[in-house]
Amino acid sequence: MRACAAVALALVAATVIASAQGARRVVSLIVVGGTVLTQNDVRQVLSPGAVAIDGSTIVDVGTPVEIAARFSAPQTIEARDQVVLPGLVNTHTHAPMVLFRGLADDLALMDWLQKYIFPAEAKSVSPEFVRTGTRLAALEMIESGTTAFADMYYFEEEIAKAASEAGLRGVLGQTIIQFPVADAKTPAEGLARAEAFIQAFRNDPLIVPAVAPHAMYTLDRDALVASAALGRKYDVPVLIHLAETQDEVKTAREQHQSTPAGYLESIGFWGPRTVAAHGIWVTDEDIAILKRHDVAVSHNPESNMKLASGAAPVLKYLAAGVTLSLGTDGAASNNDLDMFEAMRQASFLAKLSSGDPTAVPAQTALDLATIGGARALGLQKEIGSLEVGKRADLITVSMSSARQTPMYDPVSHLVYVTRGDDVRNTIVNGKVLMRDRRVLTLNEGEVLAQARALALKVRDAVQ
Ligand SMILES: [Zn+2]
């Protein structure tokens, strides 16, 4: 009798398991094992954890046992001994400028721009240059865990095509600038290009088109106002450089009897979808202006240190509740696109400049590079954390090297010891762009060879 009951129970149990397995939903990809940093509102950590992805969407985040009970997938990424986190968001760069990497270093911003960068751009920027540079930048971003980036450059439609072919997410701004540049002779031409670009890409699944008026000191009032109006007309982001140097503040004071932020407010430039890069030389009133208009600030510590531009008042921005995020700036002033370095330097620079070792702790730095970046770009409902319903933009980072041993706290390690090349897998919109360090969407050898060939022309241009 007892034996019969045991057999019956075993049968029931087997049936339950079988039906549970039968009910398992088939999804496209499961990332399993490792420590999952969700970066959700309560910064939940699952160790070990798993993420189920179907198509472009995160459909569940849980323990490996929970996920295995609910889902099966034809494709699995094993992330044991790794940290799984939202892809990093770089909120200020000029992707094709990777082709100017190391061309001219150790100069002040205005010398660097006027003697090297602007002349080099005048002679070498073309659709081919922008395509080749963006592919190189995309390769570097995918390899170092950046899944979304905000860009300001020329021929932005070429950047959009190259980025989306590589599988990256981009908020891409067509540059408007007062002097003649490779893709526009006047600001009006730049604005017409920007409008055509917005119309061409506004329904793209990966690309958010934007307008990028260069700065208040490189554009007249009409062009600034028209740029902001174009952003409003299509409800797209507006990207601008702000208060990067003391020279810019001097110009604003002399020409407009105001600060850069104050002048831009006086002409009605600011709006809620604006991202201001740098924001170093700002007054308390300027910070209040940015907060009042819900302007996001992109902090670029490495570029700011290399050009000795200054230290942005990060603690004041955080205290004021300004949306703050991190960028690398173009690789010509950094000289790479590694967002792990940007996190580390954001923390170090805040500590050094404030004299406070508790300033910008590791968790804050990680927040700035993930959910903070998503908020700055208006994409916080889509990306920036690993939550059900969001787009599947995530990375896995190896934590098993000597440099990372032992590991007490994964957040500390991500900010204080990790480098871009510790990233193992990069996934954007549910698509695996890099698997076990092999980039699947770009031909690495071809991208590097094309970049090296173009660099010869760049060298000739500045000689
Ligand atoms: Zn910049």
Side-chain angles (χ1 to χ4, degrees):
M1 192 63 197
R2 273 199 192 149
C4 269
V7 168
L9 270 176
L11 276 173
V12 168
T15 312
V16 167
I17 289 165
S19 65
Q21 277 173 346
R24 285 199 306 171
R25 176 175 162 194
V26 180
V27 293
S28 52
L29 172 65
I30 293 174
V31 179
V32 63
T35 301
V36 176
L37 303 181
T38 63
Q39 286 294 96
N40 69 7
D41 284 349
V42 294
R43 303 295 184 263
Q44 184 185 9
V45 176
L46 293 135
S47 190
V51 183
I53 296 159
D54 200 26
S56 62
T57 309
I58 296 172
V59 292
D60 208 350
V61 181
T63 66
V65 171
E66 286 167 348
I67 296 298
R70 292 175 200 150
F71 304 95
S72 67
Q75 203 186 358
T76 303
I77 287 179
E78 170 61 59
R80 199 183 313 148
D81 299 327
Q82 298 180 36
V83 172
V84 181
L85 69 153
L88 305 180
V89 182
N90 182 349
T91 56
H92 181 67
T93 192
H94 313 280
M97 289 186 84
V98 288
L99 292 173
F100 297 137
R101 191 192 327 260
L103 177 68
D105 299 305
D106 313 320
L107 294 163
L109 176 70
M110 289 305 163
D111 277 349
W112 176 75
L113 273 180
Q114 283 163 7
K115 290 185 188 154
Y116 292 91
I117 297 302
F118 288 154
E121 286 182 333
K123 289 185 194 156
S124 48
V125 173
S126 65
E128 184 206 358
F129 175 95
V130 166
R131 252 191 320 272
T132 304
T134 304
R135 284 196 197 120
L136 178 63
L139 185 62
E140 186 183 349
M141 287 191 270
I142 293 168
E143 285 182 343
S144 57
T146 293
T147 54
F149 69 108
D151 191 83
M152 302 170 69
Y153 213 59
Y154 310 104
F155 299 109
E156 204 66 37
E157 68 284 356
E158 297 294 340
I159 297 176
K161 279 185 243 165
S164 98
E165 278 166 22
L168 284 172
R169 197 178 295 286
V171 173
L172 309 180
Q174 166 67 34
T175 290
I176 321 288
I177 199 159
Q178 202 72 32
F179 54 81
V181 286
D183 67 351
K185 289 191 189 68
T186 61
E189 272 188 46
L191 284 159
R193 283 193 119 266
E195 183 155 16
F197 172 60
I198 292 165
Q199 288 172 344
F201 284 92
R202 63 180 157 159
N203 296 315
D204 194 278
L206 289 173
I207 305 303
V208 177
V211 191
H214 179 267
M216 59 75 56
Y217 65 94
T218 48
L219 285 165
D220 66 19
R221 179 196 169 110
D222 288 350
L224 287 165
V225 169
S227 300
L230 184 61
R232 278 191 204 112
K233 179 176 173 187
Y234 290 96
D235 190 26
V236 295
V238 176
L239 315 174
I240 190 168
H241 293 97
L242 178 77
E244 183 176 0
T245 61
Q246 285 171 297
D247 277 349
E248 182 178 338
V249 177
K250 199 165 157 246
T251 302
R253 293 235 183 257
E254 282 168 6
Q255 294 179 3
H256 310 293
Q257 296 72 51
S258 185
T259 61
Y263 166 65
L264 289 168
E265 182 180 53
S266 74
I267 63 170
F269 178 85
W270 296 123
R273 297 209 66 184
T274 311
V275 184
H278 305 300
I280 298 169
W281 299 100
V282 290
T283 63
D284 290 353
E285 172 55 19
D286 290 338
I287 292 173
I289 288 170
L290 298 173
K291 173 68 184 163
R292 186 150 72 231
H293 296 282
D294 204 11
V295 174
V297 173
S298 175
H299 174 43
N300 299 266
E302 294 169 275
S303 170
N304 297 163
M305 288 193 280
K306 183 161 185 270
L307 296 168
S309 303
V314 164
L315 300 185
K316 285 189 177 181
Y317 283 127
L318 290 171
V322 171
T323 301
L324 193 67
S325 60
L326 286 184
T328 57
D329 208 349
S333 63
N334 179 312
N335 290 359
D336 62 34
L337 304 177
D338 187 338
M339 283 292 290
F340 289 94
E341 281 182 14
M343 287 195 275
R344 183 142 64 242
Q345 300 309 325
S347 176
F348 288 177
L349 180 58
K351 293 176 196 313
L352 181 69
S353 59
S354 67
D356 177 1
T358 71
V360 184
Q363 182 65 57
T364 303
L366 183 63
D367 292 353
L368 295 180
T370 54
I371 190 66
R375 280 196 197 109
L377 302 180
L379 296 173
Q380 67 274 21
K381 289 189 183 139
E382 316 283 324
I383 59 171
S385 60
L386 304 182
E387 294 182 78
V388 174
K390 281 197 172 182
R391 305 278 74 75
D393 289 15
L394 59 149
I395 59 177
T396 78
V397 177
S398 169
M399 283 292 171
S400 52
S401 71
R403 174 165 41 80
Q404 294 158 316
T405 304
M407 181 172 77
Y408 301 108
D409 176 356
V411 175
S412 164
H413 266 26
L414 284 173
V415 174
Y416 297 129
V417 301
T418 298
R419 302 194 295 232
D421 44 10
D422 295 321
V423 175
R424 299 295 313 173
N425 298 282
T426 301
I427 300 163
V428 176
N429 219 30
K431 183 174 176 183
V432 183
L433 308 188
M434 179 170 76
R435 186 160 189 140
D436 275 329
R437 288 226 49 86
R438 206 169 80 80
V439 175
L440 306 176
T441 50
L442 288 160
N443 180 331
E444 184 178 1
E446 194 180 282
V447 170
L448 298 180
Q450 285 173 350
R452 286 181 190 122
L454 247 177
L456 299 174
K457 291 188 197 171
V458 171
R459 191 184 308 223
D460 288 346
V462 291
Q463 262 166 5

